Amino acid sequence: QSVLTQPPSVSAAPGQKVTISCSGSSSNIGNNYVSWYQHLPGTAPKLLIYDNNARPSGIPDRFSGSKSGTSATLGITGLQTGDEADYYCATWDSSLSAVVFGGGTKLTVL
Amino acid sequence: EVQLVESGGGSVQPGGSLRLSCAASGFTFSNTWMHWVRQAPGKGLVWVARIKGDGSSTNYVDSVKGRFTISRDNAKNTVYLQMNSLRAEDTAVYYCGRDLHIAAASPWGQGTLVTVSS
C-alpha cells in the first residue's frame, strides 16, 4: 500500500491529452515538492517533472505538472505511442523522513 | 555527461548479504545526495535510501532499516548499498540516482538485479 495514491491505469488515443492524479496528505504532498517519473521496467527511470511543475532540460512541454493542496497532477498532451509507460509521482514525507512514491499508473495510448 | 553504473547484483540465499555499487561520473559527486530505489518483479518503484554528499546524513525506507546500509566513497565517486539479512521480498532491480532536489533525481543508472531465493 503506497502512501501516495495513483490510478492503476489511464488510456487515451494518440494526439489526445491525459492527466494522472496523485493524492497524498499534509505530511507529504501538502508541504513538499512533487516529482514525476516515466519508467519502462528494466530501463532507467526518467525524471519528467520536479518541484511540482519544473521540467528538466530535454523534457518536452507536452509534459506538465501541477499541485493543489494534498494532490498533484501530471498532464501529457499530444499523446504518442512512445509515451506508453508507467508513471510515478514522488515526494518527501516529513513524518516518515523518507522519499515516497505513488503506486504507479500505466498509460496506454490506444 | 553524467553517468551512473550499478554493479554487484546477483543471486543469494535468504539471510545472505550483497553489496551493490554505483560508480558516478560527470558531476561533482561529493556535493550531491545520492539515492537507491528498487522495483520488484511486477511491482512499482520503491525508494530505498539516500545519503548526503559528505556522508553525514542518511535516510531509509522502513522495510530495510537495520538491514541495509548506504555509504559512499567520495575519493572513488562511488555509492554503496550493503544489504544484509536478505529476504525473498528484497528481490528486485536496484537503481541508483543523482539527487537534484529532495525527491527529484536524474539521471538513474540502468539497474542491477538482486535475486533472493533458496
Side-chain angles (χ1 to χ4, degrees):
Chain A
Q1 192 79 3
S2 301
V3 172
L4 305 180
T5 301
Q6 298 181 233
S9 64
V10 296
S11 62
Q16 296 300 303
K17 174 182 178 178
V18 71
T19 60
I20 298 173
S21 61
C22 176
S23 178
S25 68
S26 58
S27 67
N28 43 66
I29 292 178
N31 285 285
N32 293 288
Y33 288 114
V34 177
S35 301
W36 289 91
Y37 294 90
Q38 179 189 65
H39 187 228
L40 286 166
T43 69
K46 183 177 185 180
L47 180 68
L48 297 175
I49 299 290
Y50 67 98
D51 290 0
N52 301 333
N53 55 21
R55 284 187 308 277
S57 175
I59 301 301
D61 58 7
R62 299 190 300 110
F63 295 91
S64 64
S66 64
K67 188 183 99 167
S68 178
T70 59
S71 294
T73 302
L74 173 71
I76 312 173
T77 59
L79 278 171
Q80 303 171 2
T81 56
D83 295 331
E84 285 200 336
D86 298 319
Y87 291 82
Y88 296 86
C89 56
T91 187
W92 179 256
D93 191 295
S94 304
S95 295
L96 298 174
S97 292
V99 174
V100 291
F101 276 76
T105 299
K106 183 176 183 61
L107 169 63
T108 301
V109 181
L110 302 168
Chain B
E1 180 191 5
V2 175
Q3 281 196 320
L4 300 171
V5 180
E6 301 97 336
S7 61
S11 295
V12 62
Q13 292 187 337
S17 298
L18 273 179
R19 188 177 80 158
L20 306 184
S21 299
C22 171
S25 61
F27 63 100
T28 306
F29 182 74
S30 60
N31 290 349
T32 307
W33 286 82
M34 295 293 294
H35 298 262
W36 287 96
V37 300
R38 67 185 181 185
Q39 184 177 40
K43 304 293 186 180
L45 291 174
V46 174
W47 178 82
V48 175
R50 70 168 187 167
I51 185 168
K52 193 175 180 180
D54 62 1
S56 63
S57 180
T58 59
N59 300 98
Y60 299 89
V61 67
D62 282 348
S63 60
V64 308
K65 284 180 181 176
R67 300 189 300 124
F68 289 13
T69 302
I70 188 171
S71 64
R72 64 194 298 157
D73 184 337
N74 286 343
K76 295 182 178 180
N77 281 7
T78 300
V79 61
Y80 305 98
L81 188 66
Q82 177 67 44
M83 305 185 296
N84 299 330
S85 302
L86 282 162
R87 306 166 180 167
E89 54 265 36
D90 296 318
T91 294
V93 177
Y94 286 73
Y95 301 93
C96 67
R98 178 191 67 163
D99 183 83
L100 291 184
H101 190 208
I102 307 178
S106 179
W108 295 85
Q110 288 300 311
T112 187
L113 176 62
V114 172
T115 303
V116 184
S117 174
S118 55

